[in-house]
Amino acid sequence: MRFLHVVAISIASIASSSPAQGVGLGSAETALAAIDARQKDMVARADVKGLAELSARELTINAPTNRILSHNQFLAMMRSGQIGAEAFERTVESVTVVGDVGVVMGNEIFTPTAASELGRTYGAVPLKRRYTNIYRKYDGQWKWLARHANVVPGPKTDIR
């Protein structure tokens, strides 16, 4: 229940925040955007060890495969290649930090490997996605707490 409370507060705070593009970010937001970029790079490289260190044990992912993954399920899928990227681009549109909670939102172009779950579902083609990553500070260190990503239907070229 506490997790849902944190998510609700985080989402409510976004309504009053400015998008990342066109507005100068504060130092906390800049640091969090850099961590989010590292998270993306770790997924692109299948850096399971790095993702395990960045992730909170409570990590919960609402995956674009239409299911919810726990921390252990996500890492197991990364290890086995069920989650895999041939290419991965991300554009951050909003970064919000409120206390020990940070929210990063934007869009992605993710090209899954043919053998991955997304690749078997959609093919190894570039997929437009919207995403939200939620981070929380534990003992002064940002940890990846939650994620929602969904595939956006339609032409793949109109994302920018």
Side-chain angles (χ1 to χ4, degrees):
M1 197 61 169
R2 178 179 157 91
F3 171 76
L4 293 177
H5 180 72
V6 169
V7 171
I9 289 171
S10 300
I11 291 172
S13 72
I14 291 167
S16 64
S17 69
S18 299
Q21 295 178 343
V23 176
L25 296 177
S27 61
E29 291 84 4
T30 300
L32 187 59
I35 290 167
D36 194 63
R38 281 186 32 231
Q39 181 272 345
K40 186 229 25 132
D41 290 341
M42 289 177 198
V43 170
R45 292 188 326 267
D47 179 357
V48 178
K49 181 180 179 199
L51 287 164
E53 291 171 4
L54 178 63
S55 303
R57 285 175 296 177
E58 304 87 0
L59 175 67
T60 305
I61 298 173
N62 191 352
T65 54
N66 200 30
R67 61 192 184 123
I68 296 173
L69 303 175
S70 70
H71 176 264
N72 290 339
Q73 289 170 321
F74 168 72
L75 294 176
M77 290 181 75
M78 287 294 304
R79 270 188 217 96
S80 71
Q82 292 301 303
I83 297 173
E86 288 186 11
F88 193 2
E89 299 173 37
R90 178 179 285 169
T91 302
V92 172
E93 296 174 30
S94 175
V95 180
T96 303
V97 175
V98 179
D100 65 351
V101 176
V103 180
V104 182
M105 299 175 136
N107 69 72
E108 302 172 331
I109 300 175
F110 185 87
T111 305
T113 60
S116 70
E117 189 173 40
L118 273 176
R120 290 190 314 273
T121 302
Y122 294 99
V125 298
L127 300 172
K128 287 189 336 181
R129 301 193 311 195
R130 299 293 304 167
Y131 85 98
T132 301
N133 280 336
I134 300 173
Y135 298 86
R136 180 171 176 227
K137 270 193 180 175
Y138 293 85
D139 299 320
Q141 188 174 29
W142 287 111
K143 295 287 186 176
W144 185 32
L145 180 64
R147 174 175 172 82
H148 177 267
N150 63 284
V151 174
V152 178
K156 292 157 188 58
T157 57
D158 64 0
I159 195 162
R160 295 178 193 184

